Every structure is written in structure tokens, then in C-alpha cells.
């Protein structure tokens, strides 16, 4: 079985405290991982408005969001000024690249993309992504080759922008296998490698996982014989749930899991692009996550 790990880094605190421990763990076990950074202002606090959305209260109660994120992050961009993540943590980001990990774009402003991308004009989406590219180039001195959007929020505008940026591949979707996305009969040229597994925050607090030590074995039991893609968060697996994630990695290695790099997997797939199917990109829901996400359709 093959597993690729994508690390979404959402916040200033997550970049400061969650990235290096994950990098150390992956280095120790020689696991390739892809770090996707948020480069602009951390406006996470504004996401508190999500409390007013249906289904959110249940989730907050389950995952104890204040314990995971801390009040500093929850107030960022509201009562506390929004820290500019790339300006503050360029060194940490660069270290991940220098340690051999793939780095890419999660977003410029996480809150803005996750909550408003579907209301933005094509030009606004393009500008938002270009701002992330500019920061990426300042830090890494090269063009980004991959991106994965906040909250799996993608649409015609964002995929158009990705195509224009000539990314090697993107990972914005939830699904089962790599595909070229199609929306309204437009086929985009940047292949999607979807997240195939549920995220930890979708499992935590479910009645069957009140004892969370059952989660590593659960993950292993739902892996498929093809490529599995797991999205983790610097704020969760890199911080409060680091021990649990460590236990999962050790179990996966003991089970003979082969860890693969998304970049290398994408490169090998693209040697024969005709082998990659075209699938509809649809907006759909995922168990234990509120709202609609970009999903792989037929
Ligand atoms: Zn995110």
C-alpha cells in the first residue's frame, strides 16, 4: 500500500509551532511529505463567524476547537492584528524545502479563500493566488509547482488560475484517484491528486473514537491498494495530536506501508497523461465536515 502525506499549514501559530516537529518526525523515518503554506495574514479569528453556520456547534463541542487552536489564533485578525505569516516564518518554510520536502501553496489568506472564494470574481481569485505566488517566490526563489486550497474550496476560477500558473499538479479535492477536473465541459490541464482519507478532525470525537488511540488502526483498515492521500494539519497532528500521529506513523511503517512523494507520483503519472481519467469536479459534502467541498465526481 502507498501513502502520500500532505501537510496543510493554516495559521501563524501552526507555522511557528507545528511545522518543525512534523519535519523532524518525517526526517527520522525518511518519509516524504508535502508542506502547503498559508503565506499572507492570519485572519483565523474572523472564521469565528462560522459559529453561526448549521452544524458548527456540534463540531466545536466534539473537537474542542479552543484546545486545538488556542485563543491567540482564534482572535487573530479580530481583537489581535492579523500577523503576516510569510514575513514572520520564512526561515521555517525554507528549512522544510532545504530538508528535502516538497513545498507549495495552501493560500494567501486562509479565511478569505475558505469563506469567500465562491463569491470572488475571476480577477479577485487570480489576484489572491498571485499574492501567494509572489510570497512563495520571495522565500524559495522559484516558482511553485503545487497548490492545495483551504477547506477543499475550488471552482472554475481557481482552476483557471492554477492552469495559468503552470502547476505540475494540485490537490484541492476529496476523491479516490488522480484525475483531470472538468467543470461545465471545461477540462483543466492541472491534474488533481485528491485527498482520499478522512482528516483527523473529521474522526475525533465520533462515538467510536472516544478512545482516540483506536484511530491509527482505523486509518490502516480503510487504506486502499492504490495511492492513499492523507491531509494533516500543522495545527493538529503537528501540535496537540502529535503523539497520536506519531503512533499512526509507527503503525503504518510496521505494516509495511510505502510512503510516496506527491510530486514524484504526479511526475510519473504525467509521463502518460492519457492514463489519467477526466472526472467532473462537483461541490459535495463529506461526513463530519460542514459545508460543500470540491469532490471528484464521475
Ligand atoms: Zn487549511
Amino acid at each position: 500500500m502507498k501513502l502520500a502525506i500532505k501537510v496543510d499549514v493554516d495559521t501563524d501559530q501552526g507555522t511557528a509551532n507545528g511545522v518543525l516537529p512534523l519535519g523532524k518526525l518525517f526526517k527520522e523515518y525518511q518519509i516524504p511529505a508535502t508542506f502547503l503554506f498559508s503565506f499572507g495574514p492570519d485572519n483565523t479569528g474572523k472564521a469565528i463567524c462560522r459559529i453561526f453556520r448549521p452544524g458548527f456547534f456540534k463540531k466545536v463541542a466534539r473537537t474542542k476547537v479552543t484546545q486545538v487552536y488556542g485563543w491567540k489564533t482564534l482572535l487573530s485578525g479580530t481583537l489581535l492584528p492579523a500577523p503576516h505569516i510569510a514575513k514572520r516564518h520564512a526561515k521555517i518554510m525554507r528549512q522544510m524545502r532545504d530538508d528535502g520536502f516538497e513545498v507549495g501553496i495552501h493560500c494567501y489568506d486562509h479565511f478569505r479563500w475558505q469563506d469567500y472564494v465562491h463569491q470572488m470574481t475571476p480577477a479577485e481569485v487570480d489576484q489572491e493566488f498571485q499574492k501567494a505566488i509572489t510570497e512563495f517566490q520571495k522565500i524559495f526563489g522559484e516558482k511553485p509547482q503545487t497548490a492545495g486550497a483551504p477547506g477543499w474550496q475550488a471552482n472554475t476560477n481557481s482552476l483557471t488560475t492554477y492552469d495559468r500558473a503552470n502547476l505540475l499538479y494540485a490537490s484541492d479535492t476529496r476523491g479516490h484517484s488522480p484525475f483531470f477536473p472538468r467543470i461545465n465541459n471545461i477540462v483543466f490541464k492541472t491534474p488533481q491528486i485528491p485527498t482520499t482519507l478522512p482528516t483527523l478532525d473529521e474522526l475525533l470525537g465520533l462515538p467510536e473514537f472516544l478512545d482516540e488511540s483506536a484511530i491509527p488502526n482505523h486509518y490502516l483498515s480503510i487504506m486502499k491498494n492504490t495511492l492513499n492521500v492523507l491531509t494533516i494539519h500543522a495545527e493538529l497532528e503537528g501540535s496537540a495530536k502529535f503523539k497520536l500521529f506519531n503512533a499512526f506513523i509507527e503503525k503504518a511503517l510496521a505494516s509495511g506501508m510505502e510512503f510516496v512523494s506527491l510530486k514524484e507520483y504526479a511526475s510519473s503519472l504525467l509521463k502518460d497523461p492519457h492514463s489519467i481519467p477526466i472526472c467532473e469536479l462537483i461541490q459535495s459534502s463529506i461526513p463530519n465536515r460542514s459545508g460543500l467541498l470540491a469532490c471528484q465526481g464521475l
Side-chain angles (χ1 to χ4, degrees):
M1 275 188 277
K2 289 184 167 72
L3 175 62
I5 296 179
K6 166 168 94 72
V7 186
D8 286 356
V9 188
D10 292 1
T11 64
D12 181 72
Q13 291 295 300
T15 317
N17 305 320
V19 170
L20 292 175
L22 287 172
K24 191 165 169 259
L25 173 71
F26 293 142
K27 245 172 106 172
E28 193 180 322
Y29 292 117
Q30 295 180 309
I31 293 172
T34 300
F35 285 86
L36 301 182
F37 293 109
S38 304
F39 290 93
D42 177 354
N43 280 307
T44 314
K46 290 183 183 156
I48 277 184
C49 300
R50 271 191 225 120
I51 284 172
F52 299 108
R53 285 188 192 167
F56 191 83
F57 268 120
K58 213 170 80 193
K59 195 169 158 65
V60 171
R62 282 210 324 260
T63 61
K64 298 191 185 75
V65 75
T66 54
Q67 275 178 26
V68 170
Y69 289 98
W71 283 109
K72 202 169 164 193
T73 293
L74 291 176
L75 297 177
S76 278
T78 53
L79 297 178
L80 297 172
H84 190 283
I85 301 172
K87 286 199 178 103
R88 286 161 49 86
H89 303 302
K91 206 175 145 204
I92 290 174
M93 296 179 182
R94 222 175 277 127
Q95 186 175 334
M96 290 302 105
R97 195 271 311 266
D98 295 345
D99 282 350
F101 297 109
E102 182 184 27
V103 289
I105 292 177
H106 193 33
C107 59
Y108 184 70
D109 181 335
H110 198 282
F111 161 73
R112 188 165 142 79
W113 189 286
Q114 185 163 13
D115 283 33
Y116 292 105
V117 74
H118 297 302
Q119 293 159 48
M120 288 191 227
T121 64
E124 284 169 339
V125 172
D126 199 52
Q127 276 163 21
E128 186 74 10
F129 194 67
Q130 290 307 322
K131 282 197 266 185
I133 291 181
T134 302
E135 297 292 342
F136 185 97
Q137 287 179 320
K138 265 195 246 168
I139 291 172
F140 300 111
E142 58 194 349
K143 290 200 160 113
Q145 287 201 297
T146 189
W152 297 273
Q153 297 300 306
N155 59 22
T156 300
N157 297 340
S158 68
L159 298 188
T160 302
T161 293
Y162 281 13
D163 279 5
R164 214 175 288 149
N166 278 316
L167 301 179
L168 177 69
Y169 75 96
S171 185
D172 296 318
T173 46
R174 303 294 288 259
H176 48 81
S177 56
F179 65 103
F180 285 111
R182 178 175 58 206
I183 305 175
N184 294 330
N185 284 324
I186 301 168
V187 179
F188 296 88
K189 70 169 186 179
T190 311
Q192 284 283 332
I193 305 188
T195 295
T196 66
L197 294 162
T199 60
L200 182 56
D201 61 318
E202 289 160 7
L203 299 179
L204 281 172
L206 290 177
E208 58 268 46
F209 300 122
L210 282 181
D211 173 9
E212 61 187 37
S213 67
I215 290 179
N217 280 335
H218 173 72
Y219 267 127
L220 292 176
S221 75
I222 57 174
M223 301 257 178
K224 303 245 163 68
N225 273 327
T226 51
L227 175 73
N228 300 278
V229 180
L230 176 67
T231 294
I232 67 167
H233 286 86
E235 290 74 14
L236 198 59
E237 286 90 340
S239 304
K241 299 297 173 189
F242 185 79
K243 270 193 185 157
L244 183 63
F245 182 63
N246 199 344
F248 162 68
I249 290 292
E250 284 175 359
K251 282 206 160 134
L253 284 165
S255 79
M257 184 71 64
E258 181 191 348
F259 286 90
V260 298
S261 134
L262 279 174
K263 184 183 177 177
E264 278 166 28
Y265 195 83
S267 301
S268 70
L269 277 179
L270 285 162
K271 280 182 195 149
D272 181 15
H274 297 290
S275 67
I276 306 173
I278 296 169
C279 298
E280 211 64 34
L281 186 147
I282 57 169
Q283 306 294 331
S284 185
S285 61
I286 288 283
N288 308 311
R289 184 167 286 283
S290 64
L292 297 176
L293 284 64
C295 293
Q296 178 174 13
L298 293 174

